[in-house]
């Protein structure tokens, strides 16, 4: 065996050792906390999004005569309230969507671990943006107008042919709560 053989072998081991060391170092020092871990847990009850407005015009589940363009399976609950009524975040979370959401009209989605909350038919004047964190009870939007203008090819229209804020016949908040991407009755999360 020549000494060059040992030198080459040693060099290979040294390189491998350095690589393993640095990979381990990078993994162990990655202290970035994912958003979900930094949120409070969801064991407490949720905050009602529209204080003072508790009438539900459409419950969760199958429905007989939905608004034209809306699904026969209602993924959430509809709470009517006047345009401009403040909408509170029902739980802490990360805003993952704040934009036009087709049938939901102007929509905000807040996610917290496996819980995903959608607020639909909100005002086009957004006070939160994607990647903002929100805390339960914080005003995240207001109830939007029935009619909205400026969306190209908006297929949702009222009986007069005017474009609407998604599939809606009047000002209300549509609230959907999904757990692991499966919609569940939002009323389960609130204590009345
Ligand atoms: Zn609805």
């Amino acid at each position: 065996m020549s000494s060059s053989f040992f030198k080459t072998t040693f060099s290979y081991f040294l390189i491998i050792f350095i690589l393993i060391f640095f990979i381990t170092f990078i993994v162990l020092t990655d202290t970035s906390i994912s958003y979900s871990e930094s949120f409070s847990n969801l064991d407490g009850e949720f905050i009602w999004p529209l204080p003072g407005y508790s009438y539900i015009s459409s419950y969760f589940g199958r429905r007989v005569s939905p608004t034209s363009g809306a699904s026969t399976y209602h993924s959430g609950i509809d709470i009517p309230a006047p345009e401009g009524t403040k909408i509170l975040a029902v739980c802490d979370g990360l805003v993952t969507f704040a934009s036009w959401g087709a049938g939901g009209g102007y929509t905000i989605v807040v996610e917290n671990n496996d819980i995903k909350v959608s607020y639909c038919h909100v005002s086009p004047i957004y006070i939160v943006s994607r990647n903002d964190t929100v805390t339960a009870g914080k005003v995240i939007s207001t109830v939007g107008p029935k009619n909205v203008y400026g969306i190209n090819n908006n297929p949702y229209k009222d009986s007069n042919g005017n474009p609407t804020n998604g599939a809606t016949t009047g000002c209300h908040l549509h609230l959907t709560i999904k757990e692991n991407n499966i919609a569940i009755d939002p009323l389960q999360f609130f204590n009345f």
Side-chain angles (χ1 to χ4, degrees):
M1 294 282 181
S2 68
S3 66
S4 70
F5 171 80
F6 283 111
K7 272 184 185 168
T8 310
T9 309
F10 178 72
S11 301
Y12 282 135
F13 275 115
L14 190 64
I15 288 165
I16 289 164
F17 175 78
I18 289 167
L19 281 175
I20 290 170
F21 177 80
F22 275 103
I23 289 166
T24 309
F25 182 77
I26 288 162
V27 169
L28 289 178
T29 56
D30 183 10
T31 54
S32 61
I33 299 162
S34 74
Y35 280 111
S36 58
E37 285 171 312
S38 62
F39 292 141
S40 67
N41 68 46
L42 294 163
D43 293 342
E45 71 181 65
F46 281 25
I47 287 169
W48 187 249
L50 295 174
Y53 297 91
S54 56
Y55 171 70
I56 290 157
S57 59
S58 183
Y59 284 87
F60 172 82
R62 191 173 288 280
R63 54 186 181 180
V64 182
S65 334
T67 303
S68 172
S71 171
T72 51
Y73 180 78
H74 195 215
S75 64
I77 52 173
D78 291 340
I79 315 156
E83 180 182 349
T85 304
K86 285 174 179 154
I87 300 170
L88 311 184
V90 299
C91 64
D92 295 357
L94 173 73
V95 177
T96 56
F97 184 88
S99 187
W100 175 257
Y106 288 103
T107 296
I108 292 168
V109 178
V110 174
E111 296 187 41
N112 183 332
N113 291 294
D114 52 1
I115 295 286
K116 187 190 279 188
V117 183
S118 300
Y119 307 81
C120 301
H121 316 297
V122 304
S123 168
I125 301 157
Y126 281 97
I127 57 174
V128 294
S129 320
R130 200 169 116 81
N131 292 327
D132 283 354
T133 52
V134 297
T135 51
K138 188 200 160 179
V139 177
I140 55 167
S141 190
T142 56
V143 172
K146 176 190 157 194
N147 294 109
V148 292
Y149 302 89
I151 295 290
N152 288 330
N153 305 314
N154 181 355
Y156 304 99
K157 297 195 167 47
D158 63 16
S159 52
N160 298 318
N162 294 317
T164 56
N165 191 356
T168 179
T169 54
C171 296
H172 74 282
L173 170 68
H174 168 102
L175 183 74
T176 290
I177 301 181
K178 288 183 176 177
E179 191 166 9
N180 295 314
N181 277 322
I182 296 163
I184 28 187
D185 186 353
L187 292 179
Q188 274 186 209
F189 292 83
F190 303 98
N191 259 341
F192 296 101

